[in-house]
Amino acid sequence: MILQFTKFLYRIKYWLIFLPMVAALVAIYLTKNIIRTYEVNMTIYTGIASGFTIESGVESGRIDWASVNNGMDNLISIIKSKSTLYEVSLRLYAQNMIYGDSTKDNNYIQAKHYRELLSITPKEVKALIDKNSVDSTISNLKRYEKASPTNFVYGLFNWYHPHYSYNALSKIEVKRLFDSDMLDIIYAADDPGIAYNTLVILNEEFVKQYKQLRYSETNDVIDYFNKELVRLGEKLKESEDSLTRYYVDKKIINYEEQTKQVTALSRDYELMYYNAMLKHADADASVKQLEIRIEGQLKAIENNTMFLQKLNSLSEVSSKLARFRVLNLDTAEISPLNKKLLEELKSQEKKAEEELKAYTATIIRQRYSQDNIASAAYVDQWVSSVIAREEALAELNVMEDVKKSLDHEYSYYSPIGSTLKRKERDISFTERSYLSVLTSLNAALMRQKTLQMNSATLKAINPPLFPVGPKPSARKKIVLISYFGTLFFVLVFFIFLEIFDRTLRDQYRTRRITNLNVLGAYPKVDRLRYAQYKEQYEDIATNYLANALVPFLNYGERPDIINFISSGSNCGKSYLAERLVKYWEDRGLRVKFISWHNGIYSEYRDFILSNKLSELYDFENEDIVIVEHRALIEAAIPVGLLKEAAVNLVVARADKAWREVDVTALERLKRQTGNAPLALYLNNADKDVVMSFVGLLPPYTRFRTLLYNMTQFGLTIR
């Protein structure tokens, strides 16, 4: 198999050598003006995954990779967005128009590209270029720009300019370095200055776009929270001021304590009131009982003006003392002045009692001393009871006044409580809202500060460098691809032909197609390089054919018949037979050559019905009889003539295709010959095919001998 493949390659060697070379030369010629590109790259540190954040307060140990990946994807999208690339395009154009030089290259743009740029820029756009300011030029260009296909500035980004269009700038490669915080940005252009400045401008613009986009997420929220904070602060202040005014208007210092005091006083005064009522009732009953006993003296006493005065005086003092005691229940905390006043009131009360008792006794003695009717003891008891009743009555009067005052306090404090609760509830709600908004504002501010910190970390750790040389061009690759692609195409093409080609050509292909043993091959005429060796080649091939036929000869019977048969015409049977006859005759054999051209007529009755050659031809003691028959597709050969032959030799041209009609004719021939020997011989074959039978053909040079040995895998070095 390897030998066959080697022969196959050797056979198409000129195609494999020259056609790929021609393709490579064409590729070299066509790529002589190939564009050279300059590549610039930079590495950006983002800090999205491992950066410090105010929100967390630390460098977080746990990383939310979903958020990190989302952040990195968003950043890449911002870098490659149309808005970012538009700003890059406009600034790059303005910068090149300002700093470009048409006579020499510089770090902004090459002279030839600057001249091309000037040639396509309209006059009205050139007038917008401010040589002193890039920002001013950009502002002028933006004012001039309109969304119109005829507007140069609009079309610069939206058409297909090789340096400033979106189509060109979108070729900027942005990729994340593994799972790190870094982005690698690569851009290549046919101008080193443009490639370098494109990344320099991009490094500035995408940070601006990132800040603008990310800050807009929080600025509106922060503005809203600030407005709400101001509104709620004003509302809270107004509510607190309203509560303060209400406290002042209602003279409230501590509503809870004041209401507790009122409740406690009400409870204490209620007990005192009931005690006073009991004392008054008890004293009044005692007075009434004693008045029955001193009924006669009573009228004199009650009608006495002085007595009434002293009794009224006692009532006044008792009322003052009772009021003082009611208003100063906690005697432990009474002030020294009040203590002194209390002692004075007690002294006055005691003095009034004594005076009343003394005056009463005097009245009784003056009026009833002689009669001795009334008992002084009863009068004293009555006076004491009257005094007690007056004191109890005074205390009751005071308690009734206090009760009315407490009722007024209840009526006063009751609506105040509900109003205070409502105002405090409103203040509490407003305060909670204020604090909630303040918390949200702080969170938004922290978020904004985190974004500011993240934006601050967007720095180029490997800034772009001006390229000093172009990238290796694809010219070498194109030439190699052209060469090896053509080589592969030629190889595949000839393999395809090898598989489907039905030309007999060599013994292996012939054996595969015809399923017959190939006896040998005869060379075709070479009119160029090896024409001088024609006779030698034919002699060698004839010698090989004669030797190959000898084993088929029958030495017991004479003559041996060799049938020369072909499927079609012009196969060279006659020439081969004549060469073979001459060869054997030169060696003393008696050979007879009979051809359908002049000896056997296949269309005659005798030939068609013959069973042996002797029925058609009278032998004359020949050793070998060579019979050339007419082509099988033109005339049939009697079975007897085929079976009596020593060998039936089918001659076929190596340079002709084996057709369907040939297949049919050969199959019929196989059936007719039965057990008679049947072989095939190739005529008009290539020299290499002949050498597969006869070995190396002349000339026998050292190089040809070495090459032949190599094709036969004779690789031993001597």
Side-chain angles (χ1 to χ4, degrees), residues 236-253 420 423-424 427:
L236 181 61
K237 184 177 182 301
E238 182 181 352
S239 299
E240 290 175 344
D241 292 344
S242 175
L243 180 62
T244 301
R245 289 193 299 270
Y246 189 77
Y247 269 111
V248 172
D249 292 342
K250 298 299 183 181
K251 296 179 175 58
I252 303 297
I253 297 176
L420 287 176
K423 288 181 177 293
E424 289 173 354
I427 291 173

Side-chain angles (χ1 to χ4, degrees), residues 3-5 7-9 11 498 501-522 652-656 680-693:
L3 181 60
Q4 295 303 311
F5 186 71
K7 290 182 177 180
F8 165 73
L9 293 179
R11 187 172 63 253
E498 187 75 12
D501 185 19
R502 291 186 63 83
T503 304
L504 297 180
R505 197 176 62 220
D506 56 46
Q507 62 171 327
Y508 302 102
R509 179 186 290 273
T510 303
R511 189 182 300 118
R512 176 171 59 85
I513 295 174
T514 64
N515 200 26
L516 283 180
N517 185 36
V518 180
L519 205 59
Y522 202 81
R653 289 187 59 144
D655 57 350
K656 297 295 182 182
L680 190 141
Y681 189 81
L682 292 175
N683 188 20
N684 209 38
D686 289 336
K687 180 167 58 67
D688 298 329
V689 177
V690 176
M691 286 195 299
S692 65
F693 293 98

Side-chain angles (χ1 to χ4, degrees), residues 143-387:
R143 285 194 298 270
Y144 175 81
E145 182 183 15
K146 293 180 181 179
S148 170
T150 59
N151 187 279
F152 176 77
V153 177
Y154 177 80
L156 195 65
F157 181 72
N158 293 283
W159 294 338
Y160 298 97
H161 194 280
H163 300 144
Y164 312 106
S165 67
Y166 174 74
N167 186 56
L169 295 175
S170 62
K171 295 177 182 177
I172 296 174
E173 297 181 18
V174 184
K175 58 184 178 181
R176 184 179 179 184
L177 295 179
F178 305 105
D179 290 330
S180 68
D181 283 343
M182 290 178 284
L183 294 176
D184 192 32
I185 304 177
I186 303 172
Y187 181 59
D190 60 351
D191 188 308
I194 290 177
Y196 167 73
N197 286 287
T198 297
L199 288 196
V200 171
I201 296 171
L202 178 65
N203 187 35
E204 299 172 356
E205 291 298 332
F206 91 83
V207 174
K208 293 179 184 178
Q209 293 290 329
Y210 180 80
K211 289 180 179 179
Q212 181 180 357
L213 184 63
R214 298 305 301 271
Y215 290 170
S216 64
E217 298 175 358
T218 55
N219 285 340
D220 293 342
V221 176
I222 290 174
D223 290 342
Y224 168 76
F225 284 142
N226 279 326
K227 292 177 182 178
E228 280 295 299
L229 203 63
V230 171
R231 185 184 67 82
L232 291 174
E234 293 176 352
K235 182 179 179 182
L236 181 61
K237 184 177 182 301
E238 182 181 352
S239 299
E240 290 175 344
D241 292 344
S242 175
L243 180 62
T244 301
R245 289 193 299 270
Y246 189 77
Y247 269 111
V248 172
D249 292 342
K250 298 299 183 181
K251 296 179 175 58
I252 303 297
I253 297 176
N254 190 327
Y255 177 77
E256 296 293 335
E257 291 298 326
Q258 285 179 276
T259 53
K260 285 181 181 178
Q261 290 293 334
V262 171
T263 304
L265 287 175
S266 177
R267 182 186 65 249
D268 294 341
Y269 290 155
E270 193 74 22
L271 293 174
M272 292 173 63
Y273 181 75
Y274 286 125
N275 289 332
M277 287 182 65
L278 290 174
K279 287 169 62 178
H280 180 268
D282 183 57
D284 187 62
S286 177
V287 168
K288 288 180 179 181
Q289 186 177 9
L290 291 172
E291 284 179 349
I292 294 173
R293 295 185 178 185
I294 61 171
E295 183 177 358
Q297 294 88 346
L298 183 61
K299 291 181 179 181
I301 295 171
E302 290 180 346
N303 292 329
N304 189 285
T305 304
M306 185 60 69
F307 174 81
L308 295 175
Q309 288 179 355
K310 290 186 178 296
L311 182 61
N312 291 333
S313 177
L314 177 62
S315 297
E316 291 177 1
V317 173
S318 298
S319 296
K320 291 180 179 180
L321 183 60
R323 186 176 298 277
F324 186 85
R325 286 174 175 171
V326 168
L327 297 178
N328 296 274
L329 292 177
D330 192 358
T331 57
E333 297 182 359
I334 191 169
S335 64
L337 183 62
N338 288 336
K339 283 184 178 181
K340 184 178 180 181
L341 181 60
L342 179 62
E343 293 298 329
E344 290 179 357
L345 290 175
K346 287 181 178 180
S347 176
Q348 291 177 7
E349 183 183 34
K350 185 176 181 180
K351 182 179 179 181
E353 289 179 357
E354 291 176 354
E355 289 179 354
L356 181 62
K357 289 180 179 179
Y359 184 74
T360 304
T362 302
I363 293 174
I364 295 302
R365 283 196 303 272
Q366 290 176 357
R367 190 168 183 174
Y368 299 106
S369 57
Q370 297 177 0
D371 298 332
N372 201 21
I373 300 173
S375 174
Y378 289 117
V379 174
D380 290 338
Q381 292 179 8
W382 177 79
V383 172
S384 298
S385 297
V386 169
I387 292 172

Side-chain angles (χ1 to χ4, degrees), residues 422-459:
R422 184 174 67 252
K423 288 181 177 293
E424 289 173 354
R425 191 163 54 245
D426 181 62
I427 291 173
S428 177
F429 175 78
T430 305
E431 186 177 19
R432 287 197 303 272
S433 300
Y434 183 88
L435 293 175
S436 176
V437 171
L438 183 61
T439 301
S440 300
L441 176 61
N442 288 333
L445 290 172
M446 289 178 66
R447 176 64 175 167
Q448 187 183 58
K449 183 55 71 174
T450 298
L451 293 176
Q452 290 176 353
M453 294 178 64
N454 289 340
S455 301
T457 59
L458 294 175
K459 294 182 178 179

Side-chain angles (χ1 to χ4, degrees), residues 45 47 49-54 56-63 181:
Y45 174 74
S50 58
F52 180 87
T53 63
I54 295 178
S56 63
V58 295
E59 291 188 2
S60 179
R62 296 179 59 187
I63 299 175
D181 283 343

Side-chain angles (χ1 to χ4, degrees), residues 681-711:
Y681 189 81
L682 292 175
N683 188 20
N684 209 38
D686 289 336
K687 180 167 58 67
D688 298 329
V689 177
V690 176
M691 286 195 299
S692 65
F693 293 98
V694 303
L696 182 63
L697 294 173
Y700 301 109
T701 62
R702 185 182 298 273
F703 176 74
R704 293 190 72 246
T705 303
L706 177 63
L707 186 62
Y708 177 76
N709 289 333
M710 292 183 64
T711 58

